[in-house]
Amino acid sequence: MPDDDTPRSNTPEPKLVCRNLWKVFGTKPETWFKDQDALRDPASLAERMRDDGLIPAAVDVNFEVAQGEIFVIMGLSGSGKSTVLRCLSRLVEPTYGEVLLDGEDLLRKSARELIEIRRHKMGMVFQNFGLMPHLNVIENVTFPLALQGMPEKERRKRVENVISLVGLEGREDSYPHQLSGGQQQRVGIARSLAVEPDLWLLDEPFSALDPMIRRQMQDEFLHIQSTLKKSIIFITHDFLEALRIADRIMLMRDGMVVQIGSPVDLITDPADSYVAEFTRDVPLVRVMTAADALAPGGAQETPEGLPEVDSTATLEDLLPQMAGRHDSVIVRKGDRVIGQVTPESLIDALAKRTKAHDAAMDEDGSEIAKETA
Amino acid sequence: MTEIRRWVSGGSAWAVLIALTLVLLLQRDALPWAIRFPDGWAVPLTPWLNAGMNWVIDSFGIYFRAFSDQLSVLMRWIRDGINSLPWAAIVALVAFMAYAVSGWKLAVFSFAAMFYMVLIGFWTEAMNSLALVALSVPMAVIIGFFTGALGFASDRADRIIRPTMDMMQTIPAFAYLLPILLLFGFGPVVGLIASLLYAVPPMVRNTTMGLGAVNSEVIEAGSMSGATRRQLFWRVRVPSAMRQILLGVNQTTMAAFSMVIIASIIGGTADIGWEVLKSIRRAEFGESLLLGLVIAFMAMVMDRLTAQIARRDTSGPEALEWARPRVLWLSALVLAIAITALAQVLPFLKTYPAAWEFYPAGRLNSAVQYIVTEFTVTINYIKQVAFFFVMLPVKMGLEKTITPFSWGFAFTDTLKIGYAVAVLALAALSWQRRSWRAAALVIFFGMLLFVGITGMPWPALIAMATLLAYQTGGRRLALGMLAGLGFLLLAGVWEEAMLSIYLCGLAVLFCFLIGGALGVLAAEFDSVSAALRPFNDTLQTMPLFVILIPFVMIFKIGEFTALLAIIAYAIVPSIRYTEHGIRSVSKEVIEAATASGCTPLQLLWRVKLPLAAPVILLGLNQTIMYAIAMLVIAALVGTSDLGQLVYIGLGDGDFGVGIVAGVGMAIIAMLADRMTQAMGGRPK
Ligand SMILES: Nc1ncnc2c1ncn2[C@@H]1O[C@H](COP(=O)(O)OP(=O)(O)OP(=O)(O)O)[C@@H](O)[C@H]1O
Ligand SMILES: [Mg+2]
């Protein structure tokens, strides 16, 4: 699990900024954005659009992605995840808003500039791989380079290490239909990395794979990221997947952002019942870390000679160590001791978070009851 | 308003129309115009059209001629080019190509098929046909590809292109020929242009469809790889759609070839189609059979070759690992040069010696003659039964057909009353057991059989067809039906149109029943399916002409022969679609039904057939289209319908007559098409 003690989103220059982004499908959606006042209440504006037969797929979306961060977008099917992602690359033309990549507004770029940006700064991976059926593995991977007119020898050299990074050596001459789903997605990943992009977009890259392969691919993905350190936007609707890879998660519903936060925040401090529902099946002990269950008092009064754990250890790891003991466990972060976990503090932390979670679910339950009344 | 709409959608409208028909029939002596549309009421379309055509020829004729002169030059080059090559080189090249795209089997078959043409001594004629195809296919492919791409890129263009293509393919071939002849002059160019017109539509359709069907993620992946618009089209979309596009090339090739053969009817082409036609006309069956085989073989080789290329495309270079395109072309070139050089030394490789030819036409003729005389009684019996008990009643009605001479007794008034009572009883029964629709249908066919399709009053037929169109497809279809039938009526070709419908209708009925049964058997038993496949494949690729030959041989010229030929051609889609429909019923549904205790027969009737119904209906649609296409060709063996009129127009050089009849057939085809489609779309 990535360390989120020093939130990267606080670094001065975010890689990507998305401000007040709207995408409305339908006829003449621009006319709705003339009135600046209406924009202050995006929810009701979107409602009125729906009543008028338009489809607001992204509604006033705001977020930032830091350098090297893995930013995960989640939400139910149809909640607008893919739309937001495609707006960022302008595969879908946003209706309103701003997208800044390295501080430059993408939406102002001409078609030509956009092609240059796609050729050097962005890579994208697709749910169903999007491979060219008529090209073999190496031709697929080098396709973006071929489009730039790079000679064949040089192309092959450029992608040598990408091919080995995704483990496709020896399959260079196969055609997509001769590969398994996992292998095909490796090709998709390799192709998206061929241009050495800074911003890496992945739209449910592992959803079409079966669970075993999916897990393996997640591991490889994390391995790739640990060597390449890209800025990543990753869509999934598998919360456990998000949990494994995300620095931060953005949850969407009906085109709107419901909550942005670390995985633990989402579970332990859900904004509403929708979020709570989403995270309901995740066992708290797997998400919360030793750092989340520190006893009050901090690092001062820690006795000597107790077992020590790292601050990123999950409570699940901690439990066997605590079993049958009445004293505590020392928590370290690097060389520094940051506190201790006692049996009471552990139970307190779990109880507090569970209560918050249940409260969020109840709150909306009563709201629904009110509505139906 | 809604009141009216409900009334029109219900059963009472049918009752009114049936009553109207009865009244018109009972009063037909007083109202002869209701049965036969008076000539004086018809719009004189034919002279207008002829005048228009004359004007076009006078004003623009030179340009057309100039264009056709250019084409002639090009064509002569290709002809001379092919003719200057030794036959051995061409045979070897074709076999080599077959080997390269598929393997030994196809290579051997292609070699044998090509050598057959040499062996019977009709190599030059076959190559003359091939030259036409070799010119028209690339042109059709290029024109078709760009038109298709335009249709894909712009919805507005597509809205124009689509119906135009429908039109170009449904107007019968013969109807094209005359205007082309008038505009472009006599000669092989007519065949070229006709085949171009006929071969472009499949290319356009497949291109538009293929380009549109490319997976959107593939396109997005292309964009994200930084493709410019042009790169996105040529390097992502077109290659991804290549399979469909190549399928278009296959269909275009077959269409072009089939039209090249049909176009030989105008003569002066010295190609294989002309030779076949000549021998059919002279009733030389041995010759027609031997020459028909040449056409059949050419069609098969072309089909297998182009289909194989399409199939191979995305599956990677499996058939021939070594065959990089460059190596392939080079080997072909070397092969051709080597054989041409060798032919300098061994002249029989260039010109096959007449003494080595094998042309057993005479013997075949006597064999056929022998069989026909041996079985005269049976053949005549079949013919007469079909004629008196099936065809004539539908055409002219029982009242004229039942005579002591044909049925062995006279149709007395008592019998007529008995007939009426029987029909009414059957109608009552169907009402009780099924619905008023079934009852209406029974009464309608009862009347039809009594007076025959030509004896039905046209106001009633038009009203009923329009009502049916309204109930199945809504207002637009009803308006289309009214306009289409109105055209047939006012253009003065109503009777011929009814005769076309009669011939097609009978053929389609047979195809649907027999083909459907065969399709069911093929779906249930793999052995039947395997046995039917080559038969179906062959019939589908065969140029329509050739199908006539065996039937003319046995049954001589006449409407019955025409009917059989139409059935032979149009039965294929019925078989194929039924089999496909039943085979694609989901396994789970079948298992569920079996688990609930269905017997195999119940499974078929209650589960498989209802679920396969949409696909079977599509097969019916195709069967109708095929039948109408064959109708014109069948005119060669003597019919009296629109097809015959087209043929007469061509023979007399009467543009107006030919085009009115041709458009009439296209109208019937399109109405039938829309009707069956609407039925398929109607929620049950
Ligand atoms: N091209 C389009 N035209 C019209 N509506 C669209 C279009 N693309 C998407 N939508 C609509 O926008 C909404 C959001 O779609 P989107 O594909 O972004 O959802 P998603 O969250 O990615 O769902 P999934 O998990 O199924 O991929 C949906 O209601 C969808 O129907
Ligand atoms: Mg999506």
Side-chain angles (χ1 to χ4, degrees):
Chain A
M1 172 113 357
D3 182 0
D4 47 21
D5 219 19
T6 50
R8 291 194 191 98
S9 45
N10 284 357
T11 45
E13 168 90 350
K15 184 74 194 170
L16 182 97
V17 181
C18 178
R19 271 194 213 130
N20 307 107
L21 184 77
W22 284 75
K23 174 66 201 181
V24 182
F25 292 108
T27 42
K28 301 229 171 198
E30 317 80 41
T31 50
W32 291 80
F33 293 90
K34 296 218 175 91
D35 178 10
Q36 289 293 323
D37 282 341
L39 281 171
R40 289 212 194 96
D41 185 1
S44 72
L45 179 59
E47 209 44 56
R48 271 180 287 141
M49 288 175 176
R50 277 197 191 101
D51 291 342
D52 209 44
L54 294 138
I55 306 170
V59 177
D60 195 44
V61 174
N62 288 284
F63 64 89
E64 295 182 358
V65 180
Q67 301 275 358
E69 182 182 16
I70 303 182
F71 186 83
V72 170
I73 306 182
M74 295 194 64
L76 296 178
S77 192
S79 58
K81 308 179 295 290
S82 300
T83 304
V84 168
L85 193 75
R86 279 165 173 70
C87 282
L88 303 182
S89 55
R90 277 184 63 187
L91 284 175
V92 163
E93 211 54 59
T95 318
Y96 184 84
E98 253 180 354
V99 177
L100 305 178
L101 179 66
D102 294 323
E104 291 182 46
D105 192 351
L106 268 185
L107 308 191
R108 296 248 171 76
K109 300 285 180 199
S110 67
R112 186 154 280 276
E113 289 168 317
L114 194 64
I115 286 173
E116 280 309 305
I117 289 173
R118 287 174 178 168
R119 283 183 176 183
H120 300 291
K121 292 190 154 181
M122 285 183 185
M124 183 157 169
V125 181
F126 298 87
Q127 177 172 1
N128 296 305
F129 324 133
L131 302 182
M132 317 280 151
H134 59 288
L135 302 180
N136 64 20
V137 168
I138 192 79
E139 289 164 340
N140 258 298
V141 174
T142 57
F143 187 66
L145 304 175
L147 290 180
Q148 299 171 27
M150 193 182 282
E152 192 179 336
K153 278 227 178 76
E154 199 179 322
R155 286 201 308 252
R156 280 183 178 254
K157 248 186 102 208
R158 267 281 286 276
V159 298
E160 245 169 34
N161 64 346
V162 180
I163 293 265
S164 69
L165 198 61
V166 299
L168 275 173
E169 298 115 320
R171 298 310 306 255
E172 284 93 340
D173 295 327
S174 307
Y175 281 81
H177 71 99
Q178 299 166 324
L179 300 176
S180 71
Q183 286 170 326
Q184 291 191 33
Q185 194 55 298
R186 281 165 216 264
V187 179
I189 289 176
R191 176 180 61 191
S192 70
L193 292 174
V195 298
E196 297 170 6
D198 318 323
L199 183 64
W200 200 16
L201 310 171
L202 302 99
D203 189 353
E204 303 195 30
F206 307 140
S207 299
L209 308 177
D210 51 49
M212 295 273 284
I213 306 286
R214 195 182 305 170
R215 203 170 164 89
Q216 189 188 339
M217 295 289 286
Q218 287 161 5
D219 289 336
E220 285 177 29
F221 168 77
L222 289 171
H223 167 71
I224 292 172
Q225 170 64 355
S226 68
T227 46
L228 299 182
K229 299 263 186 280
K230 308 278 181 203
S231 307
I232 295 175
I233 304 180
F234 188 112
I235 296 184
T236 176
H237 45 217
D238 176 359
F239 198 80
L240 291 176
E241 181 168 86
L243 217 55
R244 295 195 71 204
I245 61 171
D247 289 323
R248 288 188 304 146
I249 297 177
M250 172 168 97
L251 228 113
M252 295 186 64
R253 177 175 53 185
D254 297 339
M256 287 199 280
V257 177
V258 183
Q259 187 171 11
I260 300 181
S262 70
V264 183
D265 287 345
L266 254 60
I267 297 172
T268 59
D269 190 14
D272 61 13
S273 67
Y274 178 73
V275 184
E277 189 62 43
F278 230 94
T279 58
R280 149 189 217 147
D281 295 330
V282 182
L284 275 179
V285 287
R286 272 210 209 152
V287 186
M288 291 175 65
T289 59
D292 295 319
L294 292 182
Q300 277 78 35
E301 311 143 29
T302 47
E304 296 290 316
L306 289 174
E308 297 186 351
V309 295
D310 193 73
S311 65
T312 58
T314 61
L315 297 190
E316 195 175 29
D317 300 334
L318 218 59
L319 279 174
Q321 297 200 38
M322 304 282 295
R325 312 174 61 114
H326 297 290
D327 41 10
S328 46
V329 177
I330 304 292
V331 180
R332 283 184 161 280
K333 181 178 176 84
D335 304 331
R336 207 158 46 87
V337 172
I338 57 166
Q340 57 177 333
V341 177
T342 65
E344 294 81 39
S345 77
L346 194 151
I347 291 171
D348 273 355
L350 278 174
K352 208 168 80 196
R353 304 299 170 103
T354 312
K355 234 183 264 163
H357 194 261
D358 290 350
M361 293 198 55
D362 277 354
E363 196 179 290
D364 273 44
S366 53
E367 243 167 56
I368 292 167
K370 240 183 278 162
E371 262 170 41
T372 46
Chain B
M1 198 60 208
T2 43
E3 289 278 290
I4 297 176
R5 204 170 294 157
R6 194 164 324 130
W7 184 81
V8 172
S9 314
S12 35
W14 283 107
V16 169
L17 286 188
I18 285 180
L20 169 76
T21 317
L22 262 178
V23 170
L24 287 175
L25 278 180
L26 291 175
Q27 294 300 312
R28 60 186 156 170
D29 294 331
L31 311 165
W33 54 265
I35 308 297
R36 258 194 69 91
F37 188 72
D39 289 339
W41 295 7
V43 180
L45 267 184
T46 314
W48 294 349
L49 282 167
N50 279 334
M53 190 66 192
N54 284 336
W55 179 79
V56 171
I57 293 172
D58 288 343
S59 351
F60 306 107
I62 5 168
Y63 305 111
F64 286 107
R65 294 291 166 116
F67 178 70
S68 97
D69 287 345
Q70 298 298 319
L71 268 186
S72 301
V73 173
L74 202 59
M75 201 161 63
R76 206 161 314 123
W77 282 352
I78 293 192
R79 253 186 199 206
D80 293 348
I82 290 183
N83 281 332
S84 68
L85 279 174
W87 63 266
I90 294 177
V91 172
L93 273 182
V94 171
F96 175 77
M97 243 163 72
Y99 174 67
V101 299
S102 167
W104 279 114
K105 264 194 189 159
L106 189 59
V108 170
F109 173 75
S110 307
F111 179 84
M114 298 295 284
F115 186 69
Y116 171 79
M117 300 165 204
V118 182
L119 188 67
I120 67 165
F122 279 84
W123 179 251
T124 321
E125 287 80 2
M127 287 307 106
N128 282 344
S129 296
L130 188 68
L132 277 174
V133 177
L135 190 55
S136 83
V137 167
M139 285 171 71
V141 164
I142 292 171
I143 297 173
F145 176 82
F146 284 100
T147 316
L150 186 69
F152 159 75
S154 144
D155 280 343
R156 201 183 307 167
D158 192 46
R159 271 197 293 278
I160 301 171
I161 292 171
R162 211 171 272 268
T164 315
M165 293 301 130
D166 280 356
M167 205 61 184
M168 272 161 79
Q169 268 206 319
T170 40
I171 289 192
F174 286 167
Y176 283 9
L177 292 179
L178 189 66
I180 298 174
L181 194 73
L182 293 175
L183 287 173
F184 293 94
F186 195 70
V189 174
V190 177
L192 181 67
I193 293 173
S195 93
L196 206 56
L197 284 177
Y198 191 64
V200 161
M203 189 65 202
V204 173
R205 280 209 199 100
N206 279 288
T207 305
T208 306
M209 195 165 99
L211 292 178
V214 175
N215 185 323
S216 67
E217 273 195 0
V218 171
I219 298 300
E220 288 188 332
S223 299
M224 285 309 288
S225 302
T228 61
R229 279 180 59 138
R230 176 173 288 201
Q231 285 175 326
L232 202 60
F233 184 75
W234 289 110
R235 300 185 65 166
V236 180
R237 204 179 275 280
V238 172
S240 301
M242 199 40 103
R243 199 191 188 112
Q244 192 76 44
I245 294 175
L246 287 176
L247 217 61
V249 173
N250 169 261
Q251 292 172 10
T252 290
T253 309
M254 298 324 288
F257 182 56
S258 131
M259 195 60 168
V260 161
I261 298 297
I262 290 173
S264 1
I265 195 167
I266 57 162
T269 45
D271 67 358
I272 196 74
W274 172 245
E275 296 294 331
V276 174
L277 201 67
K278 217 162 57 182
S279 46
I280 293 183
R281 282 194 182 135
R282 289 199 201 127
E284 299 167 342
F285 300 124
E287 281 85 347
S288 6
L289 203 62
L290 288 174
L291 296 176
L293 272 181
V294 172
I295 296 179
F297 281 146
M298 283 178 83
M300 282 193 232
V301 170
M302 282 186 210
D303 180 51
R304 304 291 135 88
L305 270 178
T306 46
Q308 200 58 40
I309 292 173
R311 209 165 299 143
R312 218 177 63 108
D313 173 55
T314 46
S315 61
E318 272 156 13
L320 266 198
E321 292 284 349
W322 54 273
R324 306 213 151 238
R326 211 175 304 153
V327 183
L328 215 103
W329 285 112
L330 216 64
S331 333
L333 195 68
V334 170
L335 187 70
I337 292 176
I339 293 184
T340 314
L342 198 63
Q344 303 298 318
V345 196
L346 305 171
F348 69 87
L349 287 180
K350 174 132 182 59
T351 332
Y352 192 76
W356 298 0
E357 279 170 10
F358 177 69
Y359 191 58
R363 249 169 295 163
L364 260 175
N365 263 337
S366 29
V368 169
Q369 209 50 52
Y370 174 76
I371 293 173
V372 172
T373 33
E374 196 70 358
F375 293 97
T376 314
V377 181
T378 326
I379 291 172
N380 279 341
Y381 183 71
I382 295 175
K383 239 169 126 167
Q384 301 224 317
V385 167
F387 202 60
F388 286 127
F389 295 96
V390 181
M391 299 176 69
L392 272 188
V394 179
K395 189 175 173 182
M396 320 221 302
L398 289 173
E399 57 173 348
K400 293 206 188 88
T401 313
I402 300 183
T403 59
F405 161 68
S406 57
W407 285 49
F409 54 84
F411 205 21
T412 56
D413 285 343
T414 333
L415 280 179
K416 284 181 186 169
I417 291 170
Y419 176 79
V421 170
V423 168
L424 285 178
L426 196 61
L429 193 69
S430 0
W431 195 342
Q432 190 209 346
R433 303 275 307 254
R434 317 262 330 179
S435 65
W436 56 263
R437 274 177 213 279
L441 212 64
V442 167
I443 296 187
F444 174 75
F445 279 106
M447 291 193 292
L448 181 71
L449 268 185
F450 189 81
V451 294
I453 197 162
T454 46
M456 287 292 272
W458 55 263
L461 281 183
I462 293 182
M464 281 197 243
T466 310
L467 181 62
L468 189 65
Y470 181 80
Q471 291 186 352
T472 41
R475 246 195 29 212
R476 286 190 52 173
L477 188 58
L479 280 178
M481 179 68 82
L482 195 62
L485 294 183
F487 173 86
L488 294 175
L489 191 71
L490 290 177
V493 292
W494 182 259
E495 188 163 341
E496 287 84 356
M498 286 307 110
L499 288 174
S500 301
I501 291 176
Y502 133 80
L503 212 51
C504 265
L506 269 185
V508 168
L509 189 70
F510 270 93
C511 289
F512 193 60
L513 293 181
I514 300 173
L518 284 173
V520 169
L521 286 177
E524 299 287 326
F525 306 104
D526 285 342
S527 55
V528 177
S529 173
L532 282 176
R533 197 167 307 132
F535 166 78
N536 281 344
D537 284 350
T538 314
L539 276 180
Q540 280 227 300
T541 46
M542 208 56 53
L544 308 178
F545 254 82
V546 181
I547 295 175
L548 290 177
I549 298 172
F551 296 107
V552 181
M553 252 160 52
I554 297 173
F555 294 105
K556 302 283 175 336
I557 279 176
E559 221 160 64
F560 181 59
T561 309
L563 185 67
L564 288 181
I566 298 174
I567 291 175
Y569 183 62
I571 200 169
V572 179
S574 277
I575 301 178
R576 284 220 162 135
Y577 281 81
T578 309
E579 175 179 357
H580 177 69
I582 292 181
R583 276 187 189 263
S584 32
V585 171
S586 105
K587 281 238 159 49
E588 269 175 44
V589 173
I590 292 178
E591 278 169 5
T594 316
S596 353
C598 265
T599 65
L601 221 65
Q602 282 175 326
L603 194 63
L604 181 65
W605 280 108
R606 304 214 167 172
V607 181
K608 289 183 183 172
L609 284 179
L611 284 177
V615 183
I616 295 179
L617 207 60
L618 206 64
L620 177 66
N621 174 300
Q622 287 299 298
T623 296
I624 297 176
M625 296 302 122
Y626 275 51
I628 294 177
M630 189 68 191
L631 203 55
V632 193
I633 311 294
L636 285 178
V637 295
T639 53
S640 46
D641 64 340
L642 284 176
Q644 190 64 30
L645 220 49
V646 173
Y647 189 45
I648 291 172
L650 181 62
D652 297 351
D654 189 336
F655 168 74
V657 167
I659 208 74
V660 165
V663 170
M665 292 189 75
I667 286 176
I668 294 177
M670 281 197 247
L671 287 176
D673 178 54
R674 303 298 184 275
M675 281 299 286
T676 42
Q677 274 181 14
M679 276 183 217
R682 193 177 57 184
K684 288 228 161 172

